[in-house]
Amino acid sequence: MSVDLNHTIVHCKDRHASAKFLADLLDLEVLPDLGPFTPVETANGVTLDFADSDEIRPNHYAFLVTDEEFDRIFARIREAGIEYWADPHHTKPGEINHEHGGRGIYFDDPNGHILEAITAPYQYPDA
């Protein structure tokens, strides 16, 4: 059986601004609106469909990137003055991590969603 994640909905205050924030940092494209959604597509075809909402529950979105992409993303984060952390709980400000044989960084979007850029996928123990 082959199951792929196709899309997820990201609730936000301003779907266009939120989609642009993510697309600009990750060097992705904001696609044309699809009904009430503003999609941003990743390289593996998954879209994050931004939708305006009065109720926002912060979620975590992790993006696997190359070392070169990480360097560019990290530079954009620093240039924009965006706070970043080495951990999802925000206890290591101004640091990156070196877990799973790569590098990782956490930063928040304007709606409080925790975004993560990593250069190596998580290594889960065999179940």
Side-chain angles (χ1 to χ4, degrees):
M1 175 171 66
S2 175
V3 177
D4 291 325
L5 179 63
N6 177 263
H7 69 275
T8 189
I9 296 173
V10 181
H11 295 278
C12 54
K13 296 172 190 162
D14 179 334
R15 66 186 174 135
H16 295 109
S18 295
K20 183 175 177 358
F21 174 85
L22 181 70
D24 286 352
L25 283 178
L26 300 184
D27 197 23
L28 298 171
E29 184 180 346
V30 177
L31 300 177
D33 286 350
L34 184 61
F37 305 110
T38 301
V40 174
E41 186 175 24
T42 64
N44 62 346
V46 175
T47 61
L48 289 94
D49 296 342
F50 289 85
D52 292 330
S53 178
D54 292 331
E55 286 190 38
I56 299 170
R57 278 197 161 143
N59 286 306
H60 176 199
Y61 301 95
F63 302 92
L64 181 61
V65 300
T66 66
D67 282 312
E68 294 78 18
E69 290 166 332
F70 183 91
D71 291 339
R72 289 192 300 268
I73 292 165
F74 189 40
R76 288 184 201 110
I77 288 169
R78 288 184 306 207
E79 286 170 15
I82 297 170
E83 289 184 273
Y84 61 91
W85 298 266
D87 66 308
H89 303 292
H90 301 107
T91 64
K92 298 177 182 177
E95 298 179 35
I96 63 172
N97 69 56
H98 297 278
E99 297 179 16
H100 308 285
R103 295 180 290 162
I105 187 171
Y106 295 84
F107 55 99
D108 293 345
D109 87 339
N111 301 283
H113 297 298
I114 299 170
L115 306 178
E116 178 182 12
I118 54 175
T119 61
Y122 285 14
Q123 299 171 9
Y124 296 101
D126 292 335

